[in-house]
Amino acid sequence: MMANMNRITLVGTVQGGMTMTATSKGELKARIRVSTVHRWKNADEDILHTETDLHTVIGIGNMAKRIRDFSFDGHLVLIEGRLRMRKWATYEDTGAGERPEIVVSTFQDLGVGPSECSPQDNEVDHEINSDTLDRAR
């Protein structure tokens, strides 16, 4: 009998800003969004199709610090981790919601991605994100 495995490997582009918060135990928690793109052509038509997915990526503790220091909008990143479902109760008793998140165990910045963002933009984003971290402490 084979054991269950919960492992994700994702290569994608960081989209938008980072959110820094603290867990109930006081550990830092970083949340970013990473996009992946799938492109294909059907055999019977010569049209290029594109499908983009956004993934929520979570780092806790030291991994949150690594994401804070090395995550820049538009950069290509390699992420390894596990998949978990974040669940919450909705307001006004309309039920519950859930969404998949990737909890990071390995994070590596692979450099500028297809958006070709400028280094100046990254420095500004990094300063804003450092301020956000200070407020979360």
Side-chain angles (χ1 to χ4, degrees), residues 1 24 29 33 35 46 51 57 93 95 102 104 117 122 133:
M1 182 175 193
S24 59
K29 181 177 176 181
R33 303 279 289 185
S35 68
D46 195 31
E51 179 180 272
V57 176
D93 296 327
I102 300 166
V104 180
C117 63
N122 291 332
L133 173 65

Side-chain angles (χ1 to χ4, degrees), residues 10-16 32-37 53-55 71-79 111-117:
L10 183 71
V11 175
T13 305
V14 177
Q15 301 292 324
I32 59 173
R33 303 279 289 185
V34 175
S35 68
T36 55
V37 178
D53 292 310
L54 283 173
H55 311 277
S71 171
F72 303 109
D73 192 26
H75 273 215
L76 195 63
V77 293
L78 167 69
I79 293 168
V112 176
S115 65
E116 298 296 326
C117 63

